[in-house]
Amino acid sequence: MRRPNVLFIMSDDHGAQAMSCYGSRINETPHIDRIAQGGVRFDNCFCTNSICTPSRATILTGKHSHINGVRCLAPFDWMDCRQWSFPRDLQRAGYQTAVIGKWHLGHGGVSDPQGFDYWNVLPGQGLYHNPEFIEMGEQKIMPGYATDLITDMCLDWLEHRSKERPFCLLCHHKAPHRRWEPDAKHAQMYEDIEIPEPDNFNDDYANRAGAAAAATMRIERDLRPDDLKQDPPPGLSPQELKRWKYQRYIKDYLRCVASIDDNVGRMLDYLADKGLEEDTIVIYTSDQGFFLGEHGWFDKRFMYEESLRMPLVVRYPQEIQPGTVNDEIALNNDFAPTFLDYAGLDIPDDLQGRSIRPLLQGRTPQHWQTSMYYRYWMHLGGGHTVCAHYGVRTKRYKLIYYYGEALDAPGAVDEPRSPEWELFDLDNDPMEMHSVYDDPAYAEAVKELKAELARLRDEVKDDSAPWTE
Ligand code: CA
């Protein structure tokens, strides 16, 4: 059988709540929905460390942060790209490989992309308008809007590739990352509409660990003037001001998403026009989720649902039943072994993920993962004052331990806090508003989840953070 092409489209900070195929209440994404309608939507795909640089490193290496060495945000942690990554194996096996767009794993020397026939990436976060790119080590400024430019360059690369060999193209959008700068085409979108606020927009952070109240990612307080880009009208009450800021924030965010969606449509149209739909696995995902006003927040980092969940839709007509939904647990370290599987390559023993190909085919292997290990390292660092934590999520529960130390994590703040636990029963409390860790009715669940967390820590070989009973 001919080996399939891979088109991996990843955006930055696109929460599933802002995709209509996930039931968004706030926008429409007709082109991303085409992937879901023609393939499968994953409802429980999670990242193992909800922040840009580490999630990208985990996707490339199939390993947790403490193994691949990228625990915190660049420039505090950069990736050593001499280590194993799936593009290197695909390239060696005859795939044409390229990465175009956001890289954010450092650049120069050992952090430049490796394993790619062609790379053309934004330095650091990159700019929305007239961005600089680094093309195979050479810097150049490109006039235009980042999302359009990245798509133009992807289409150009596809058009000029060899038609004899399969391709693996990583199309990495910068959008919709902060500061959410739309292009002129979408700048007026939603102007006369009020976007609904999430149900827990006015969270008071009671009934949880102190970590939630300590975080500095509140819409009312922590959005900056350059995020909002306009002065608020005079005379607003504090609640009116919060609501005004949310509208400013979410509209620009959704305008950036609308541009991505248009450009996903361009990519899909190209595949259709060239007769590539049957032979190409098309993936749309984001490096992690994002808070869109839930808990009154923007940003990510927490193990809470909106941040933990990666949107994941996959289309491959030869193996995936159109319009299906999968609720098995899939992780960002499962991508690399999946691509190897499809390329017919051996999966190295030290990879920590597993191929989701059986799930894509509609069957769940025996002993498929029923829990996942999460760890956020950057204690109080990186501008949003989120306490370091690790935890376990099962289909029903989430147990989180805020261990209260920076340890040696780069970019973390050496300011100890009292350790705290949280437990959420997601069946009863999907918005995670009430920790039941101290509720005697959950004593047995706590015991079982601690045992599972200990088992997972052992399995992923992470014993660097303190453990407490
Ligand atoms: Ca991100």
Side-chain angles (χ1 to χ4, degrees):
M1 194 182 94
R2 195 180 151 87
R3 294 177 296 176
N5 304 306
V6 175
L7 172 58
F8 181 79
I9 307 173
M10 181 164 72
S11 55
D12 193 340
D13 296 358
H14 188 180
Q17 322 91 291
M19 288 168 60
S20 34
C21 54
Y22 278 93
S24 170
R25 302 191 309 161
I26 56 175
N27 71 333
E28 297 285 335
T29 48
H31 296 294
I32 294 170
D33 293 3
R34 284 162 65 186
I35 304 174
Q37 285 153 8
V40 58
R41 181 190 87 201
F42 280 81
D43 281 358
N44 287 319
C45 181
F46 303 121
C47 66
T48 50
N49 182 358
S50 179
I51 191 166
C52 305
T53 310
S55 182
R56 286 154 196 274
T58 290
I59 288 167
L60 289 170
T61 62
K63 293 168 189 155
H64 284 264
S65 304
H66 58 284
I67 303 289
N68 64 35
V70 186
R71 297 163 295 171
C72 299
L73 202 59
F76 302 105
D77 252 344
W78 289 21
M79 176 147 147
D80 185 338
C81 295
R82 292 171 298 185
Q83 68 182 295
W84 186 91
S85 66
F86 78 81
R88 300 166 73 107
D89 269 18
L90 262 55
Q91 186 186 43
R92 263 199 295 269
Y95 269 75
Q96 298 166 83
T97 57
V99 58
I100 296 170
K102 186 164 175 180
W103 179 244
H104 205 207
L105 289 159
H107 52 85
V110 300
S111 294
D112 277 338
Q114 293 192 28
F116 297 98
D117 299 335
Y118 178 76
W119 53 274
N120 195 349
V121 298
L122 297 161
Q125 296 283 7
L127 298 178
Y128 275 100
H129 294 281
N130 306 319
E132 182 181 75
F133 281 87
I134 306 175
E135 182 185 30
M136 308 287 285
E138 194 178 324
Q139 293 171 284
K140 55 173 80 170
I141 291 171
M142 303 280 288
Y145 186 65
T147 308
D148 295 333
L149 291 169
I150 289 164
T151 306
D152 292 346
M153 293 189 287
C154 285
L155 293 174
D156 190 59
W157 183 82
L158 285 173
E159 187 62 20
H160 293 99
R161 78 191 197 283
S162 158
K163 309 295 187 287
E164 309 303 315
R165 294 186 287 133
F167 66 82
C168 174
L169 171 59
L170 311 187
C171 167
H172 287 183
H173 288 296
K174 171 208 169 40
H177 192 279
R178 195 181 192 183
R179 302 176 9 207
W180 316 295
E181 295 175 23
D183 62 348
K185 184 180 165 193
H186 300 92
Q188 313 304 318
M189 208 174 171
Y190 308 112
E191 195 155 58
D192 302 319
I193 294 173
E194 184 161 303
I195 309 286
E197 295 156 3
D199 293 340
N200 58 355
F201 184 59
N202 294 310
D203 192 352
D204 63 1
Y205 314 109
N207 305 311
R208 264 149 298 165
T216 48
M217 49 177 74
R218 293 189 201 175
I219 286 178
E220 70 206 62
R221 184 190 64 195
D222 302 316
L223 284 169
R224 298 185 302 239
D226 63 350
D227 295 322
L228 298 165
K229 309 171 197 86
Q230 283 177 19
D231 292 329
L236 297 182
S237 70
Q239 185 61 19
E240 287 167 342
L241 184 59
K242 179 180 177 181
R243 301 184 71 177
W244 180 86
K245 287 183 178 180
Y246 170 74
Q247 294 296 321
R248 284 296 308 133
Y249 156 58
I250 199 69
K251 287 181 182 180
D252 274 350
Y253 180 94
L254 295 178
R255 289 162 180 153
C256 293
V257 168
S259 171
I260 290 179
D261 191 65
D262 289 353
N263 278 291
V264 167
R266 291 176 63 206
M267 300 289 285
L268 297 178
D269 289 347
Y270 180 88
L271 297 181
D273 289 347
K274 300 292 177 179
L276 290 166
E277 282 183 323
E278 279 297 311
D279 288 335
T280 304
I281 301 169
V282 180
I283 294 167
Y284 183 86
T285 188
S286 167
D287 58 349
Q288 59 333 269
F290 212 66
F291 296 108
L292 303 178
E294 297 87 4
H295 302 286
W297 284 338
F298 61 99
D299 212 68
K300 57 254 182 182
R301 296 159 193 263
F302 274 101
M303 198 185 166
Y304 295 148
E305 289 294 272
E306 295 82 4
S307 156
L308 180 71
R309 176 169 292 105
M310 300 167 76
L312 175 64
V313 290
V314 189
R315 189 184 76 184
Y316 181 42
Q318 296 193 27
E319 292 195 4
I320 304 175
Q321 189 68 30
T324 48
V325 174
N326 191 300
D327 72 349
E328 297 297 341
I329 292 177
L331 303 178
N332 55 351
N333 60 25
D334 295 331
F335 288 110
T338 303
F339 298 141
L340 297 183
D341 190 352
Y342 274 108
L345 299 172
D346 290 336
I347 298 171
D349 289 340
D350 64 344
L351 260 60
Q352 297 182 302
R354 64 208 80 185
S355 170
I356 64 167
R357 187 174 185 176
L359 303 182
L360 296 171
Q361 293 168 329
R363 56 191 179 85
T364 302
Q366 270 199 320
H367 311 300
W368 187 259
Q369 56 201 349
T370 55
S371 66
M372 59 87 59
Y373 181 72
Y374 180 88
R375 183 162 174 193
Y376 174 76
W377 295 71
M378 214 166 163
H379 186 63
L380 305 175
H384 292 294
T385 330
V386 175
C387 298
H389 55 289
Y390 60 82
V392 54
R393 190 198 191 283
T394 63
K395 288 252 181 93
R396 177 169 176 185
Y397 291 113
K398 187 184 294 176
L399 180 73
I400 307 175
Y401 182 49
Y402 300 92
Y403 53 87
E405 294 181 52
L407 302 172
D408 63 342
V413 177
D414 190 14
E415 186 184 305
R417 290 175 59 96
S418 300
E420 301 176 284
W421 289 92
E422 279 179 336
L423 174 68
F424 296 103
D425 180 345
L426 300 168
D427 279 359
N428 295 332
D429 180 22
M431 290 192 293
E432 299 165 303
M433 300 295 284
H434 197 116
S435 169
V436 290
Y437 181 77
D438 293 318
D439 183 338
Y442 287 91
E444 192 59 29
V446 166
K447 201 172 142 203
E448 286 171 16
L449 287 159
K450 283 188 174 175
E452 180 62 6
L453 182 54
R455 189 194 69 76
L456 283 170
R457 272 166 56 95
D458 193 44
E459 183 181 279
V460 306
K461 302 184 176 66
D462 181 18
D463 57 2
S464 63
W467 172 260
T468 177
E469 295 302 318

